[in-house]
Amino acid sequence: MIDDPIFSPAQAGDGQEIARLFVLVQRRETLGLTIWSSPLVSAFVEDIIAGAEPSLEIKYYTVRVGREMEGVICLRNISGRLFVDNVYVTRRLRRMQVSARFILDSVRSYGKDFECQELAWDVWSHERSLIHWYRQLGGVEQYRKNWFAARLPENSGPAGAVLGRDEAERIHARYGFSTLDVVTSQGRYRSGRIGTHAFRITDDRSVADPEFFRALASIDPYRVVYVSSSNLDLPGAGGVVATAIRMHCSLERFFRQLERQVPRGEAVR
């Protein structure tokens, strides 16, 4: 017999364990693409739990058995869609079908504060069993994004202007990730920074702008540049590191399908 799982919003002091569990969700090749590769990311989680950055509309929910955290989910509101940012549940609780009840309870709790009619999430293309499960819940693929790895140039020449550098450095020192804006003669781009190893770009037009890459090289020439694109190949970049699949589902259908997977009765033993 085990204690009944207890579902609750994350509490102060949970940040380090939440960060540790979300690292377990990733493979080595995908971890470096995410903020969870930062050794300081738990500070970000703690600040969100404490109410910092309310505009991000991020909430964490946990499931505990006794004193152990055995599950966590991150939810956020993106353009009116309830976005499932990350989910982790131990294998033991998955076998006991606790995952469905935990996700259902968390999404309903989030919905009390933020009105959404549709659910969205990303899943890595190699996670075939998870993709199958999401389809069973009503998830429909919307698009795919490939992540490419590129190197910064060694040649000199005109470089774009980096904006907000001081603020970005302050944030990076606390969280181990940050964003920067770069203005070139061709346009304005945004770049994420993760840890000490990578820049992360979601606008693939930037690859064709040498001023942008030189601006990044002026910050740190040794970082790899991860670029997200719907293209199957990207001139100037290497091969595909990973592929993310975006899926959508109506909340009504999601609730209906997930409720069928919730075990009967209140206690799980």
Side-chain angles (χ1 to χ4, degrees), residues 163-211:
L163 307 181
R165 179 78 179 269
D166 290 343
E167 177 66 6
E169 294 295 350
R170 182 190 68 79
I171 293 172
H172 205 89
R174 178 163 178 77
Y175 299 146
F177 64 88
S178 56
T179 58
L180 293 159
D181 288 314
V182 177
V183 175
T184 74
S185 62
Q186 297 184 38
R188 179 168 179 158
Y189 311 97
R190 173 158 288 191
S191 171
R193 283 189 300 175
I194 306 175
T196 60
H197 68 283
F199 292 109
R200 188 173 67 174
I201 316 298
T202 57
D203 185 348
D204 60 3
R205 297 175 304 165
S206 62
V207 176
D209 190 338
E211 293 179 33

Side-chain angles (χ1 to χ4, degrees), residues 189-238:
Y189 311 97
R190 173 158 288 191
S191 171
R193 283 189 300 175
I194 306 175
T196 60
H197 68 283
F199 292 109
R200 188 173 67 174
I201 316 298
T202 57
D203 185 348
D204 60 3
R205 297 175 304 165
S206 62
V207 176
D209 190 338
E211 293 179 33
F212 173 66
F213 268 40
R214 292 190 191 111
L216 297 184
S218 72
I219 298 169
D220 187 343
Y222 302 107
R223 289 175 180 263
V224 65
V225 182
Y226 291 123
V227 185
S228 173
S229 175
S230 58
N231 296 327
L232 296 177
D233 57 19
L234 194 63

